[in-house]
Amino acid sequence: MKDRGILIVVSGFSGSGKGTLMKELLARYPDTYALSISATTRSPREGEEDGREYFFVTKEEFEKMIAKGDLIEYAKYVENYYGTPKNYVEQKLEEGKDVILEIEIQGALKVKKAFPDTLLLFVTPPSATELKSRLVGRGTETMDVIESRMNRACEEAEGMDSYDYLVVNDDLDACVEEMHSIIRSEHRKSSRNRAFMESMKEELIRLKQSEE
């Protein structure tokens, strides 16, 4: 039987490349990881499918999920709700998949409070100068938007020390392998292997007694 998976929250500055990093990690290790799918009250965009990009629900359905405690975390942005359904995550963890939630800092800390075993990873470029040049290099945003993202990064930087690991995204290939390695090591943490340690102790006692 496969070991139960680990819940992982990945956050990072806008422009840190965390989306690309997640896609590459899932492409390389499809049997190991599952990206959590959020529920939302916004309408599907062209090409989006229910249960693939999002679980699309009505406002009433979403508010019922909140009332019943069916969400790990949720937030409201521009009149629409977004949240992480507990059942989907639980199902994937039971299947032995490590489930990744890509959410911002406030949501990450809520998840850690509700599930203290959650592994928190923060993705950052090697420097603030590099962050700005990546945002400019996208060529998709106005300087006003870039400035507001840089201001937000200043606020987000205050929360970096709440994370378990910092992942510096300088070279994508190396970064993917580093993240995979951190998560593999986390599986071997003694606090995650209490049942194994107890059975080992009991077996050793049984063997010792049978030899006496």
Side-chain angles (χ1 to χ4, degrees):
M1 190 186 137
K2 259 189 158 184
D3 287 344
R4 182 178 160 84
I6 290 175
L7 185 58
I8 303 146
V9 170
V10 176
S11 308
F13 304 122
S14 175
S16 63
K18 63 184 181 298
T20 310
L21 193 53
M22 294 301 91
K23 278 196 190 110
E24 188 58 33
L25 188 69
L26 270 85
R28 281 190 206 183
Y29 304 102
D31 298 332
T32 305
Y33 301 107
L35 197 58
S36 171
I37 300 170
S38 297
T40 183
T41 56
R42 80 157 169 78
S43 302
R45 291 180 186 139
E46 197 177 330
E48 287 182 335
E49 277 179 33
D50 184 54
R52 189 180 66 188
E53 281 78 16
Y54 287 96
F55 296 114
F56 295 101
V57 298
T58 64
K59 188 167 180 270
E60 291 71 27
E61 285 172 324
F62 199 101
E63 285 171 350
K64 270 187 198 160
M65 289 169 88
I66 296 171
K68 285 161 69 184
D70 288 344
L71 296 163
I72 289 174
E73 57 78 42
Y74 70 92
K76 198 173 188 181
Y77 299 106
V78 202
E79 297 310 303
N80 283 309
Y81 283 116
Y82 294 83
T84 305
K86 203 180 275 183
N87 285 350
Y88 177 81
V89 169
E90 197 57 44
Q91 179 198 330
K92 293 293 169 191
L93 291 172
E94 283 301 322
E95 286 172 13
K97 294 259 180 121
D98 292 332
V99 180
I100 299 171
L101 273 64
E102 198 188 311
I103 51 180
E104 42 66 59
I105 289 181
Q106 285 76 14
L109 299 181
K110 279 185 203 166
V111 174
K112 185 81 169 178
K113 196 173 178 186
F115 302 90
D117 265 358
T118 304
L119 174 65
L120 300 186
L121 304 177
F122 193 89
V123 181
T124 174
S127 69
T129 307
E130 174 64 17
L131 178 64
K132 187 165 186 180
S133 72
R134 283 184 194 180
L135 288 169
V136 172
R138 281 176 176 178
T140 55
E141 286 147 351
T142 64
M143 284 314 289
D144 282 352
V145 172
I146 289 166
E147 199 172 306
S148 76
R149 290 198 191 281
M150 290 301 290
N151 289 339
R152 186 175 165 92
C154 287
E155 292 164 22
E156 289 173 333
E158 294 300 316
M160 283 196 289
D161 59 359
S162 302
Y163 284 72
D164 298 307
Y165 293 91
L166 276 183
V167 181
V168 179
N169 187 10
D170 194 1
D171 172 88
L172 179 67
D173 193 53
C175 195
V176 169
E177 290 311 315
E178 183 186 2
M179 192 175 270
H180 181 63
S181 172
I182 288 168
I183 298 164
R184 292 295 89 209
S185 301
E186 191 69 16
H187 273 273
R188 299 275 65 85
K189 253 193 176 173
S190 56
S191 60
R192 294 186 188 274
N193 290 277
R194 291 204 173 97
F196 173 83
M197 292 189 292
E198 286 310 311
S199 73
M200 177 63 91
K201 287 176 197 171
E202 285 165 16
E203 193 182 350
L204 284 164
I205 289 164
R206 278 201 309 275
L207 284 171
K208 185 181 171 212
Q209 287 169 343
S210 69
E211 285 167 11
E212 282 172 0

